[in-house]
Amino acid sequence: MASLHVGSLGEFLREQRHTAQLSLRQLADAAGVSNPYLSQIERGLRKPSAEILQQLARALRISAETLYVRAGILDEKDQAGLEVRGAILADTSISEQQKQVLLQIYESFRKENGHTEDVRASPGETGENGDAPSSGTQPRSPRPGHDQEESS
């Protein structure tokens, strides 16, 4: 049986689904795709569109960029940063607030070490396009050292 070179994507999706303790049917329902289609993606028989990957990422509460890299839609130049971010977002043992703090710390270390590309979602994108979990949390307040004007 020929694969479309998306086996690693399918394997990754299956691992994420198991980590999230979701059945194939539950994930398919949450992502708005059919059960057979999701099964074919996991087995590497179908290559999903960016939109479907975004829906799956949102349902799994992981970074859409991580899925885009796995599917070959995005370049792998910053895959390590995306994988770290994806692992933090997928961890079910820490709270959403703890995940955001870890991501901020990680990004500050990356910048300090000369990595200028930021793999985080911008505040306006968080939770809206699958870049970060849609936990219902508000955008983060300014970081320490960044003064905010007082409103009158």
Side-chain angles (χ1 to χ4, degrees):
M1 192 181 286
S3 172
L4 298 174
H5 188 60
V6 290
S8 65
L9 170 65
E11 292 167 14
F12 181 75
L13 281 171
R14 183 176 290 122
E15 289 171 12
Q16 294 300 311
R17 181 171 58 79
H18 287 158
T19 299
Q21 298 178 344
L22 294 171
S23 70
L24 191 71
R25 185 172 307 280
Q26 288 171 322
L27 178 57
D29 288 343
V33 300
S34 73
N35 193 35
Y37 182 62
L38 179 56
S39 175
Q40 290 173 344
I41 294 170
E42 283 192 358
R43 291 182 289 142
L45 302 175
R46 295 281 186 142
K47 184 174 182 177
S49 67
E51 183 178 336
I52 297 296
L53 290 173
Q54 186 177 9
Q55 291 170 227
L56 289 167
R58 188 176 295 125
L60 289 167
R61 301 181 65 139
I62 61 174
S63 164
E65 287 92 347
T66 300
L67 294 183
Y68 295 159
V69 168
R70 296 270 181 174
I73 295 172
L74 283 181
D75 191 8
E76 294 185 36
K77 65 181 179 172
D78 201 24
Q79 185 174 3
L82 290 173
E83 287 179 354
V84 169
R85 187 174 185 280
I88 291 170
L89 293 173
D91 191 335
T92 58
S93 67
I94 59 176
S95 72
E96 295 302 320
Q97 183 178 8
Q98 290 168 329
K99 291 176 187 182
Q100 294 305 315
V101 170
L102 278 173
L103 289 171
Q104 288 177 354
I105 293 168
Y106 176 65
E107 288 306 321
S108 70
F109 285 148
R110 286 177 49 85
K111 287 178 184 175
E112 185 177 302
N113 292 333
H115 293 275
T116 56
E117 288 192 33
D118 191 350
V119 296
R120 290 181 302 158
S122 66
E125 295 174 334
T126 304
E128 293 173 5
N129 65 358
D131 291 334
S134 55
S135 63
T137 58
Q138 297 298 315
R140 304 295 297 168
S141 58
R143 287 173 286 185
H146 291 79
D147 293 330
Q148 185 176 12
E149 292 182 29
E150 291 184 55
S151 51
S152 32

